[in-house]
Amino acid sequence: MHHRIWYNGRLIPFEEASVHVLSHVIHYGTSVFEGIRCYDTERGSGIFRLREHMRRLYDSAKIYRMEVPYSLEELENAIIETIQESGLQSCYIRPVIFRGTGSLGVNPLKNKVETFVAVWEWGAYLGPEALESGVDVEVASWHRMAPNTFPAMAKAGGNYLNAGLVKMDAVLNGFTEGIMLSVDGHVAEGSGENLFLVRDGVIYTAPTSLSILPGITRDAIITIARSRGYDVVERAIPREALIIADELFFTGTAAEVTPIRSVDHYKIGSGSRGPITKEIQSAFFDVVKAGNDPHGWLTAIPARVEEEVAGDGV
Ligand code: PPE
């Protein structure tokens, strides 16, 4: 189903939501964006950590000197309106801020800042079996950017040229995903996911100083794991620690909590979802599926006002 797109302040039909070929973003990848999920929980539709995603979006825009013509609250309302209009109970939400037309050449300062929000249904990111059985991955030959090349804290369109190389190699080599190392060879993250490692009951993940995206699911999983009594350590992880890990799992908005069952054909742990991964995954799904929300992470989608609903049928 093609849902309406919120484009520069208005909800417009899907077919009309196009950009000019001379938009700066087409030539130079000058966009910042978010990926957010709205869940159909047992207590109604709720957006997972909307405020945190919007903060990261506005941080990304600030880093790239983009002046967003809408306040954060206005864009949150635009997202809620787009979901309401779509009629979807659960969806993936993609707000994008990009440099449009204005001038040609690298300097984007004179190019218009444009904004849109799209929503669509998106199932399990790494395949329907992945959440239970785990995925097979490789260590990628392309690394994450060095800290003095691209700002890793910005979720920018151009960053995903690197991610795309990693993903294409992985898929063509018969794997589901690739794990990138940092510029100095430590474990960083997947092409679209953060990574966690379990060894002897302790949970490890890379620090943000290694040019990973500071994932919002990563932060939620750290909170969940600590609240269940686990030690979660953010520190540089050597590549070979992947091989001897008891458990590995990915986290991300799209990937949720996905176990990894092998790396470069090395079996990880028992070769299936490990017990701590399972526990953390269940605790995560208890929030987003059951709607048990001790941390206040869900933003409810209010029902549409009555005249609008009535108006639809007339
Ligand atoms: N690292 C990268 C590189 C990344 O792209 C994501 C999200 C994460 C970590 C996890 O961040 P968070 O979603 O805040 O927990 N990747 C998004 C885009 C996936 C895509 O194919 O596009 C996502 O999961 O929505």
Tab-separated table of all heavy atoms in Angstrom, residues 27-87:
chain	number	residue	atom	x	y	z
A	27	HIS	N	23.469	14.569	-5.702
A	27	HIS	CA	24.865	14.619	-6.157
A	27	HIS	C	25.850	14.309	-5.047
A	27	HIS	O	26.903	13.726	-5.296
A	27	HIS	CB	25.162	16.002	-6.752
A	27	HIS	CG	24.241	16.334	-7.875
A	27	HIS	ND1	24.639	16.407	-9.184
A	27	HIS	CD2	22.897	16.552	-7.882
A	27	HIS	CE1	23.606	16.677	-9.948
A	27	HIS	NE2	22.526	16.764	-9.179
A	28	TYR	N	25.508	14.730	-3.806
A	28	TYR	CA	26.512	14.669	-2.742
A	28	TYR	C	26.056	13.930	-1.476
A	28	TYR	O	26.781	13.948	-0.482
A	28	TYR	CB	26.954	16.094	-2.384
A	28	TYR	CG	27.395	16.908	-3.598
A	28	TYR	CD1	26.609	17.939	-4.106
A	28	TYR	CD2	28.595	16.620	-4.239
A	28	TYR	CE1	26.997	18.663	-5.215
A	28	TYR	CE2	28.995	17.345	-5.358
A	28	TYR	CZ	28.194	18.364	-5.852
A	28	TYR	OH	28.589	19.078	-6.948
A	29	GLY	N	24.890	13.323	-1.503
A	29	GLY	CA	24.434	12.541	-0.337
A	29	GLY	C	24.134	13.366	0.897
A	29	GLY	O	24.217	12.869	2.025
A	30	THR	N	23.779	14.652	0.680
A	30	THR	CA	23.578	15.561	1.812
A	30	THR	C	22.173	15.425	2.427
A	30	THR	O	21.310	16.273	2.210
A	30	THR	CB	23.799	17.021	1.370
A	30	THR	OG1	23.304	17.154	0.023
A	30	THR	CG2	25.249	17.409	1.414
A	31	SER	N	21.997	14.362	3.176
A	31	SER	CA	20.737	14.198	3.903
A	31	SER	C	21.056	13.664	5.289
A	31	SER	O	22.120	13.079	5.506
A	31	SER	CB	19.818	13.196	3.192
A	31	SER	OG	20.384	11.907	3.218
A	32	VAL	N	20.150	13.901	6.211
A	32	VAL	CA	20.213	13.244	7.516
A	32	VAL	C	18.846	12.609	7.721
A	32	VAL	O	17.845	13.103	7.207
A	32	VAL	CB	20.566	14.228	8.660
A	32	VAL	CG1	21.965	14.784	8.477
A	32	VAL	CG2	19.548	15.358	8.776
A	33	PHE	N	18.813	11.490	8.417
A	33	PHE	CA	17.535	10.781	8.510
A	33	PHE	C	17.453	9.962	9.781
A	33	PHE	O	18.430	9.806	10.511
A	33	PHE	CB	17.320	9.903	7.264
A	33	PHE	CG	18.228	8.692	7.161
A	33	PHE	CD1	17.765	7.433	7.503
A	33	PHE	CD2	19.532	8.812	6.712
A	33	PHE	CE1	18.577	6.297	7.400
A	33	PHE	CE2	20.362	7.696	6.616
A	33	PHE	CZ	19.889	6.439	6.954
A	34	GLU	N	16.279	9.408	10.003
A	34	GLU	CA	16.052	8.497	11.119
A	34	GLU	C	15.267	7.288	10.635
A	34	GLU	O	14.557	7.346	9.615
A	34	GLU	CB	15.250	9.181	12.244
A	34	GLU	CG	16.105	9.967	13.213
A	34	GLU	CD	17.194	9.123	13.865
A	34	GLU	OE1	16.931	7.980	14.267
A	34	GLU	OE2	18.329	9.618	13.968
A	35	GLY	N	15.401	6.217	11.376
A	35	GLY	CA	14.553	5.043	11.195
A	35	GLY	C	13.934	4.789	12.554
A	35	GLY	O	14.650	4.664	13.549
A	36	ILE	N	12.602	4.769	12.602
A	36	ILE	CA	11.878	4.671	13.872
A	36	ILE	C	10.800	3.605	13.674
A	36	ILE	O	10.283	3.465	12.565
A	36	ILE	CB	11.222	6.038	14.226
A	36	ILE	CG1	12.212	7.192	14.036
A	36	ILE	CG2	10.630	6.040	15.625
A	36	ILE	CD1	11.587	8.596	14.129
A	37	ARG	N	10.469	2.880	14.731
A	37	ARG	CA	9.359	1.928	14.574
A	37	ARG	C	8.166	2.325	15.435
A	37	ARG	O	8.332	2.766	16.571
A	37	ARG	CB	9.773	0.502	14.959
A	37	ARG	CG	10.381	-0.314	13.825
A	37	ARG	CD	10.465	-1.785	14.232
A	37	ARG	NE	11.366	-2.560	13.405
A	37	ARG	CZ	10.999	-3.294	12.348
A	37	ARG	NH1	9.733	-3.337	11.956
A	37	ARG	NH2	11.895	-3.994	11.680
A	38	CYS	N	6.995	2.140	14.837
A	38	CYS	CA	5.751	2.250	15.595
A	38	CYS	C	5.229	0.819	15.740
A	38	CYS	O	5.141	0.084	14.759
A	38	CYS	CB	4.747	3.115	14.835
A	38	CYS	SG	3.125	3.159	15.609
A	39	TYR	N	4.952	0.420	16.967
A	39	TYR	CA	4.524	-0.954	17.252
A	39	TYR	C	3.040	-1.016	17.569
A	39	TYR	O	2.491	-0.111	18.208
A	39	TYR	CB	5.300	-1.498	18.444
A	39	TYR	CG	6.731	-1.886	18.104
A	39	TYR	CD1	7.781	-0.988	18.273
A	39	TYR	CD2	7.016	-3.153	17.609
A	39	TYR	CE1	9.093	-1.349	17.958
A	39	TYR	CE2	8.314	-3.530	17.296
A	39	TYR	CZ	9.354	-2.633	17.473
A	39	TYR	OH	10.634	-2.993	17.170
A	40	ASP	N	2.431	-2.107	17.140
A	40	ASP	CA	1.042	-2.395	17.483
A	40	ASP	C	1.071	-3.190	18.785
A	40	ASP	O	1.027	-4.410	18.775
A	40	ASP	CB	0.419	-3.217	16.343
A	40	ASP	CG	-1.044	-3.498	16.569
A	40	ASP	OD1	-1.659	-2.831	17.432
A	40	ASP	OD2	-1.581	-4.391	15.890
A	41	THR	N	1.196	-2.483	19.901
A	41	THR	CA	1.340	-3.191	21.184
A	41	THR	C	-0.034	-3.644	21.674
A	41	THR	O	-1.070	-3.184	21.172
A	41	THR	CB	1.987	-2.294	22.272
A	41	THR	OG1	0.977	-1.484	22.868
A	41	THR	CG2	3.093	-1.420	21.710
A	42	GLU	N	-0.034	-4.504	22.684
A	42	GLU	CA	-1.313	-4.958	23.247
A	42	GLU	C	-2.068	-3.810	23.912
A	42	GLU	O	-3.239	-3.941	24.245
A	42	GLU	CB	-1.063	-6.098	24.248
A	42	GLU	CG	-0.736	-7.408	23.541
A	42	GLU	CD	-0.165	-8.467	24.469
A	42	GLU	OE1	-0.477	-8.447	25.674
A	42	GLU	OE2	0.616	-9.309	23.968
A	43	ARG	N	-1.373	-2.689	24.139
A	43	ARG	CA	-2.042	-1.521	24.730
A	43	ARG	C	-2.209	-0.392	23.718
A	43	ARG	O	-2.246	0.772	24.073
A	43	ARG	CB	-1.222	-1.029	25.927
A	43	ARG	CG	-1.094	-2.112	26.976
A	43	ARG	CD	-0.294	-1.665	28.159
A	43	ARG	NE	-0.110	-2.793	29.075
A	43	ARG	CZ	0.451	-2.708	30.254
A	43	ARG	NH1	0.887	-1.554	30.694
A	43	ARG	NH2	0.582	-3.780	31.012
A	44	GLY	N	-2.228	-0.737	22.444
A	44	GLY	CA	-2.423	0.270	21.394
A	44	GLY	C	-1.132	0.584	20.664
A	44	GLY	O	-0.063	0.114	21.046
A	45	SER	N	-1.231	1.396	19.598
A	45	SER	CA	-0.049	1.729	18.801
A	45	SER	C	0.858	2.676	19.562
A	45	SER	O	0.391	3.641	20.164
A	45	SER	CB	-0.469	2.423	17.507
A	45	SER	OG	-0.934	1.477	16.592
A	46	GLY	N	2.149	2.399	19.525
A	46	GLY	CA	3.097	3.265	20.216
A	46	GLY	C	4.398	3.385	19.431
A	46	GLY	O	4.889	2.398	18.876
A	47	ILE	N	4.941	4.600	19.367
A	47	ILE	CA	6.226	4.832	18.688
A	47	ILE	C	7.341	4.627	19.715
A	47	ILE	O	7.281	5.172	20.821
A	47	ILE	CB	6.313	6.263	18.130
A	47	ILE	CG1	5.100	6.559	17.239
A	47	ILE	CG2	7.610	6.470	17.366
A	47	ILE	CD1	5.060	7.998	16.740
A	48	PHE	N	8.335	3.832	19.339
A	48	PHE	CA	9.435	3.518	20.260
A	48	PHE	C	10.464	4.648	20.283
A	48	PHE	O	11.084	4.949	19.284
A	48	PHE	CB	10.092	2.194	19.842
A	48	PHE	CG	11.143	1.716	20.823
A	48	PHE	CD1	10.793	1.312	22.106
A	48	PHE	CD2	12.478	1.676	20.454
A	48	PHE	CE1	11.756	0.864	23.011
A	48	PHE	CE2	13.452	1.226	21.352
A	48	PHE	CZ	13.092	0.826	22.624
A	49	ARG	N	10.602	5.283	21.436
A	49	ARG	CA	11.623	6.294	21.715
A	49	ARG	C	11.652	7.422	20.672
A	49	ARG	O	12.713	7.784	20.155
A	49	ARG	CB	12.987	5.635	21.879
A	49	ARG	CG	12.952	4.510	22.923
A	49	ARG	CD	14.314	4.121	23.441
A	49	ARG	NE	14.824	5.112	24.364
A	49	ARG	CZ	15.995	5.038	24.984
A	49	ARG	NH1	16.791	4.019	24.765
A	49	ARG	NH2	16.386	5.966	25.814
A	50	LEU	N	10.467	7.935	20.389
A	50	LEU	CA	10.336	9.004	19.399
A	50	LEU	C	11.235	10.194	19.730
A	50	LEU	O	11.954	10.709	18.867
A	50	LEU	CB	8.863	9.456	19.319
A	50	LEU	CG	8.589	10.643	18.393
A	50	LEU	CD1	8.954	10.310	16.939
A	50	LEU	CD2	7.111	11.059	18.470
A	51	ARG	N	11.209	10.645	20.988
A	51	ARG	CA	11.961	11.849	21.346
A	51	ARG	C	13.476	11.652	21.134
A	51	ARG	O	14.153	12.529	20.602
A	51	ARG	CB	11.639	12.233	22.799
A	51	ARG	CG	12.296	13.481	23.325
A	51	ARG	CD	12.113	14.713	22.434
A	51	ARG	NE	10.771	15.162	22.181
A	51	ARG	CZ	10.125	16.145	22.836
A	51	ARG	NH1	10.714	16.791	23.803
A	51	ARG	NH2	8.891	16.493	22.501
A	52	GLU	N	13.967	10.464	21.481
A	52	GLU	CA	15.401	10.198	21.312
A	52	GLU	C	15.785	10.184	19.830
A	52	GLU	O	16.850	10.687	19.444
A	52	GLU	CB	15.788	8.865	21.966
A	52	GLU	CG	15.758	8.872	23.484
A	52	GLU	CD	14.371	8.638	24.092
A	52	GLU	OE1	13.360	8.621	23.353
A	52	GLU	OE2	14.293	8.482	25.319
A	53	HIS	N	14.922	9.598	19.004
A	53	HIS	CA	15.208	9.602	17.558
A	53	HIS	C	15.193	11.026	17.008
A	53	HIS	O	16.024	11.391	16.170
A	53	HIS	CB	14.190	8.743	16.811
A	53	HIS	CG	14.480	7.278	16.875
A	53	HIS	ND1	15.459	6.679	16.119
A	53	HIS	CD2	13.935	6.284	17.616
A	53	HIS	CE1	15.501	5.373	16.396
A	53	HIS	NE2	14.584	5.117	17.298
A	54	MET	N	14.238	11.829	17.473
A	54	MET	CA	14.143	13.194	16.945
A	54	MET	C	15.332	14.030	17.397
A	54	MET	O	15.844	14.861	16.650
A	54	MET	CB	12.831	13.849	17.384
A	54	MET	CG	11.611	13.149	16.830
A	54	MET	SD	11.720	12.837	15.065
A	54	MET	CE	11.258	14.428	14.437
A	55	ARG	N	15.780	13.782	18.618
A	55	ARG	CA	16.977	14.496	19.087
A	55	ARG	C	18.179	14.153	18.211
A	55	ARG	O	18.944	15.015	17.822
A	55	ARG	CB	17.296	14.094	20.534
A	55	ARG	CG	16.911	15.147	21.511
A	55	ARG	CD	17.614	14.957	22.824
A	55	ARG	NE	18.862	15.698	22.899
A	55	ARG	CZ	19.688	15.602	23.924
A	55	ARG	NH1	19.424	14.792	24.914
A	55	ARG	NH2	20.783	16.309	23.939
A	56	ARG	N	18.315	12.862	17.906
A	56	ARG	CA	19.449	12.468	17.057
A	56	ARG	C	19.311	13.083	15.667
A	56	ARG	O	20.303	13.522	15.067
A	56	ARG	CB	19.557	10.936	16.978
A	56	ARG	CG	20.860	10.488	16.307
A	56	ARG	CD	21.083	8.985	16.420
A	56	ARG	NE	20.079	8.236	15.677
A	56	ARG	CZ	19.953	6.912	15.714
A	56	ARG	NH1	20.756	6.184	16.475
A	56	ARG	NH2	19.026	6.296	15.013
A	57	LEU	N	18.083	13.153	15.162
A	57	LEU	CA	17.866	13.765	13.842
A	57	LEU	C	18.294	15.235	13.848
A	57	LEU	O	18.985	15.702	12.941
A	57	LEU	CB	16.393	13.637	13.451
A	57	LEU	CG	16.003	14.216	12.101
A	57	LEU	CD1	16.682	13.450	10.958
A	57	LEU	CD2	14.485	14.177	11.901
A	58	TYR	N	17.870	15.958	14.885
A	58	TYR	CA	18.216	17.385	14.953
A	58	TYR	C	19.711	17.568	15.237
A	58	TYR	O	20.303	18.537	14.758
A	58	TYR	CB	17.322	18.106	15.974
A	58	TYR	CG	15.993	18.478	15.343
A	58	TYR	CD1	15.061	17.489	15.027
A	58	TYR	CD2	15.689	19.795	14.992
A	58	TYR	CE1	13.860	17.808	14.410
A	58	TYR	CE2	14.486	20.124	14.373
A	58	TYR	CZ	13.582	19.130	14.083
A	58	TYR	OH	12.409	19.453	13.446
A	59	ASP	N	20.309	16.656	15.985
A	59	ASP	CA	21.763	16.703	16.186
A	59	ASP	C	22.483	16.491	14.846
A	59	ASP	O	23.446	17.192	14.528
A	59	ASP	CB	22.223	15.611	17.166
A	59	ASP	CG	21.817	15.899	18.611
A	59	ASP	OD1	21.415	17.042	18.906
A	59	ASP	OD2	21.906	14.965	19.441
A	60	SER	N	22.008	15.511	14.074
A	60	SER	CA	22.624	15.235	12.768
A	60	SER	C	22.530	16.472	11.872
A	60	SER	O	23.495	16.843	11.198
A	60	SER	CB	21.917	14.070	12.074
A	60	SER	OG	21.985	12.889	12.840
A	61	ALA	N	21.348	17.120	11.888
A	61	ALA	CA	21.144	18.321	11.059
A	61	ALA	C	22.083	19.432	11.514
A	61	ALA	O	22.688	20.132	10.695
A	61	ALA	CB	19.693	18.771	11.139
A	62	LYS	N	22.239	19.584	12.823
A	62	LYS	CA	23.106	20.643	13.340
A	62	LYS	C	24.552	20.418	12.906
A	62	LYS	O	25.231	21.354	12.461
A	62	LYS	CB	23.015	20.682	14.873
A	62	LYS	CG	23.858	21.779	15.468
A	62	LYS	CD	23.686	21.932	16.956
A	62	LYS	CE	24.489	23.147	17.422
A	62	LYS	NZ	24.492	23.262	18.883
A	63	ILE	N	25.008	19.165	13.013
A	63	ILE	CA	26.385	18.846	12.619
A	63	ILE	C	26.622	19.264	11.167
A	63	ILE	O	27.675	19.805	10.833
A	63	ILE	CB	26.664	17.336	12.834
A	63	ILE	CG1	26.714	17.029	14.339
A	63	ILE	CG2	27.958	16.905	12.138
A	63	ILE	CD1	26.717	15.558	14.701
A	64	TYR	N	25.634	19.051	10.302
A	64	TYR	CA	25.774	19.396	8.880
A	64	TYR	C	25.265	20.803	8.528
A	64	TYR	O	25.024	21.101	7.366
A	64	TYR	CB	25.123	18.315	8.016
A	64	TYR	CG	26.042	17.113	7.872
A	64	TYR	CD1	25.839	15.950	8.591
A	64	TYR	CD2	27.175	17.183	7.048
A	64	TYR	CE1	26.715	14.874	8.495
A	64	TYR	CE2	28.049	16.115	6.942
A	64	TYR	CZ	27.823	14.967	7.664
A	64	TYR	OH	28.701	13.913	7.557
A	65	ARG	N	25.107	21.639	9.563
A	65	ARG	CA	24.726	23.039	9.366
A	65	ARG	C	23.415	23.192	8.576
A	65	ARG	O	23.258	24.094	7.750
A	65	ARG	CB	25.837	23.835	8.645
A	65	ARG	CG	27.177	23.803	9.360
A	65	ARG	CD	28.186	24.713	8.658
A	65	ARG	NE	29.537	24.496	9.138
A	65	ARG	CZ	30.040	25.046	10.250
A	65	ARG	NH1	29.300	25.834	10.996
A	65	ARG	NH2	31.285	24.789	10.615
A	66	MET	N	22.491	22.286	8.824
A	66	MET	CA	21.180	22.397	8.169
A	66	MET	C	20.225	23.041	9.151
A	66	MET	O	20.064	22.536	10.270
A	66	MET	CB	20.635	21.004	7.843
A	66	MET	CG	21.368	20.286	6.755
A	66	MET	SD	20.754	18.576	6.743
A	66	MET	CE	21.136	18.112	5.086
A	67	GLU	N	19.580	24.109	8.725
A	67	GLU	CA	18.571	24.720	9.595
A	67	GLU	C	17.221	24.133	9.269
A	67	GLU	O	16.678	24.375	8.188
A	67	GLU	CB	18.574	26.228	9.420
A	67	GLU	CG	19.416	26.864	10.510
A	67	GLU	CD	19.323	28.359	10.505
A	67	GLU	OE1	18.180	28.884	10.598
A	67	GLU	OE2	20.388	28.986	10.370
A	68	VAL	N	16.704	23.352	10.193
A	68	VAL	CA	15.434	22.676	9.936
A	68	VAL	C	14.320	23.700	10.081
A	68	VAL	O	14.234	24.377	11.107
A	68	VAL	CB	15.221	21.512	10.926
A	68	VAL	CG1	14.034	20.663	10.511
A	68	VAL	CG2	16.483	20.673	11.059
A	69	PRO	N	13.457	23.833	9.051
A	69	PRO	CA	12.408	24.857	9.138
A	69	PRO	C	11.263	24.510	10.088
A	69	PRO	O	10.290	25.252	10.155
A	69	PRO	CB	11.918	24.985	7.685
A	69	PRO	CG	12.407	23.800	6.965
A	69	PRO	CD	13.507	23.168	7.749
A	70	TYR	N	11.356	23.396	10.784
A	70	TYR	CA	10.299	22.994	11.725
A	70	TYR	C	10.928	22.729	13.086
A	70	TYR	O	12.068	22.270	13.168
A	70	TYR	CB	9.590	21.722	11.245
A	70	TYR	CG	9.134	21.832	9.817
A	70	TYR	CD1	9.894	21.283	8.793
A	70	TYR	CD2	7.986	22.552	9.502
A	70	TYR	CE1	9.513	21.442	7.462
A	70	TYR	CE2	7.595	22.714	8.182
A	70	TYR	CZ	8.366	22.154	7.166
A	70	TYR	OH	7.989	22.317	5.878
A	71	SER	N	10.150	22.987	14.139
A	71	SER	CA	10.655	22.643	15.471
A	71	SER	C	10.565	21.132	15.633
A	71	SER	O	9.825	20.449	14.903
A	71	SER	CB	9.827	23.336	16.552
A	71	SER	OG	8.533	22.760	16.593
A	72	LEU	N	11.297	20.638	16.604
A	72	LEU	CA	11.291	19.195	16.874
A	72	LEU	C	9.862	18.714	17.172
A	72	LEU	O	9.431	17.669	16.682
A	72	LEU	CB	12.247	18.943	18.037
A	72	LEU	CG	12.553	17.514	18.441
A	72	LEU	CD1	13.978	17.420	18.990
A	72	LEU	CD2	11.583	16.999	19.468
A	73	GLU	N	9.125	19.517	17.929
A	73	GLU	CA	7.746	19.131	18.277
A	73	GLU	C	6.863	19.111	17.032
A	73	GLU	O	6.005	18.241	16.877
A	73	GLU	CB	7.151	20.085	19.323
A	73	GLU	CG	7.762	19.978	20.705
A	73	GLU	CD	9.149	20.639	20.835
A	73	GLU	OE1	9.540	21.422	19.927
A	73	GLU	OE2	9.846	20.364	21.826
A	74	GLU	N	7.068	20.077	16.139
A	74	GLU	CA	6.272	20.105	14.903
A	74	GLU	C	6.515	18.851	14.067
A	74	GLU	O	5.584	18.263	13.506
A	74	GLU	CB	6.618	21.354	14.066
A	74	GLU	CG	5.952	22.613	14.563
A	74	GLU	CD	6.471	23.876	13.881
A	74	GLU	OE1	7.634	23.916	13.406
A	74	GLU	OE2	5.709	24.849	13.844
A	75	LEU	N	7.774	18.446	14.019
A	75	LEU	CA	8.082	17.255	13.217
A	75	LEU	C	7.572	15.971	13.897
A	75	LEU	O	7.150	15.035	13.218
A	75	LEU	CB	9.588	17.180	12.936
A	75	LEU	CG	9.974	16.541	11.607
A	75	LEU	CD1	9.191	17.117	10.433
A	75	LEU	CD2	11.473	16.694	11.356
A	76	GLU	N	7.575	15.966	15.220
A	76	GLU	CA	6.967	14.821	15.933
A	76	GLU	C	5.483	14.735	15.586
A	76	GLU	O	4.954	13.656	15.318
A	76	GLU	CB	7.126	14.991	17.447
A	76	GLU	CG	8.508	14.646	17.943
A	76	GLU	CD	8.625	14.696	19.474
A	76	GLU	OE1	7.674	15.143	20.144
A	76	GLU	OE2	9.672	14.298	19.981
A	77	ASN	N	4.822	15.893	15.574
A	77	ASN	CA	3.395	15.897	15.224
A	77	ASN	C	3.178	15.468	13.788
A	77	ASN	O	2.202	14.780	13.473
A	77	ASN	CB	2.785	17.278	15.473
A	77	ASN	CG	2.659	17.550	16.967
A	77	ASN	OD1	2.526	16.624	17.762
A	77	ASN	ND2	2.720	18.824	17.351
A	78	ALA	N	4.100	15.871	12.902
A	78	ALA	CA	3.997	15.461	11.493
A	78	ALA	C	4.071	13.940	11.381
A	78	ALA	O	3.350	13.320	10.598
A	78	ALA	CB	5.116	16.111	10.686
A	79	ILE	N	4.939	13.335	12.188
A	79	ILE	CA	5.084	11.871	12.170
A	79	ILE	C	3.788	11.210	12.645
A	79	ILE	O	3.269	10.287	12.000
A	79	ILE	CB	6.288	11.451	13.051
A	79	ILE	CG1	7.587	11.794	12.315
A	79	ILE	CG2	6.219	9.972	13.428
A	79	ILE	CD1	8.849	11.568	13.116
A	80	ILE	N	3.242	11.726	13.728
A	80	ILE	CA	2.007	11.145	14.268
A	80	ILE	C	0.872	11.273	13.245
A	80	ILE	O	0.119	10.332	12.991
A	80	ILE	CB	1.661	11.802	15.626
A	80	ILE	CG1	2.704	11.354	16.668
A	80	ILE	CG2	0.245	11.432	16.085
A	80	ILE	CD1	2.665	12.103	17.984
A	81	GLU	N	0.808	12.442	12.610
A	81	GLU	CA	-0.231	12.683	11.601
A	81	GLU	C	-0.066	11.736	10.401
A	81	GLU	O	-1.055	11.209	9.880
A	81	GLU	CB	-0.055	14.136	11.120
A	81	GLU	CG	-1.283	14.802	10.602
A	81	GLU	CD	-0.917	16.167	10.001
A	81	GLU	OE1	-0.030	16.866	10.555
A	81	GLU	OE2	-1.496	16.506	8.959
A	82	THR	N	1.172	11.517	9.987
A	82	THR	CA	1.420	10.637	8.836
A	82	THR	C	1.001	9.206	9.166
A	82	THR	O	0.422	8.508	8.322
A	82	THR	CB	2.912	10.685	8.423
A	82	THR	OG1	3.312	12.047	8.311
A	82	THR	CG2	3.150	9.981	7.100
A	83	ILE	N	1.264	8.785	10.389
A	83	ILE	CA	0.860	7.424	10.793
A	83	ILE	C	-0.665	7.332	10.852
A	83	ILE	O	-1.262	6.384	10.331
A	83	ILE	CB	1.470	7.046	12.162
A	83	ILE	CG1	3.001	7.021	12.083
A	83	ILE	CG2	0.930	5.698	12.638
A	83	ILE	CD1	3.689	6.875	13.426
A	84	GLN	N	-1.280	8.331	11.468
A	84	GLN	CA	-2.749	8.319	11.573
A	84	GLN	C	-3.380	8.241	10.183
A	84	GLN	O	-4.298	7.459	9.936
A	84	GLN	CB	-3.235	9.575	12.289
A	84	GLN	CG	-2.958	9.560	13.785
A	84	GLN	CD	-3.326	10.881	14.429
A	84	GLN	OE1	-3.125	11.942	13.845
A	84	GLN	NE2	-3.832	10.831	15.642
A	85	GLU	N	-2.861	9.050	9.285
A	85	GLU	CA	-3.388	9.123	7.925
A	85	GLU	C	-3.207	7.785	7.188
A	85	GLU	O	-4.034	7.391	6.378
A	85	GLU	CB	-2.652	10.253	7.181
A	85	GLU	CG	-2.956	10.394	5.717
A	85	GLU	CD	-4.366	10.880	5.432
A	85	GLU	OE1	-4.963	11.537	6.322
A	85	GLU	OE2	-4.860	10.603	4.310
A	86	SER	N	-2.129	7.067	7.488
A	86	SER	CA	-1.858	5.799	6.796
A	86	SER	C	-2.819	4.692	7.243
A	86	SER	O	-3.001	3.712	6.519
A	86	SER	CB	-0.425	5.338	7.084
A	86	SER	OG	-0.321	4.830	8.410
A	87	GLY	N	-3.372	4.845	8.441
A	87	GLY	CA	-4.236	3.790	8.983
A	87	GLY	C	-3.455	2.581	9.486
A	87	GLY	O	-4.041	1.588	9.910
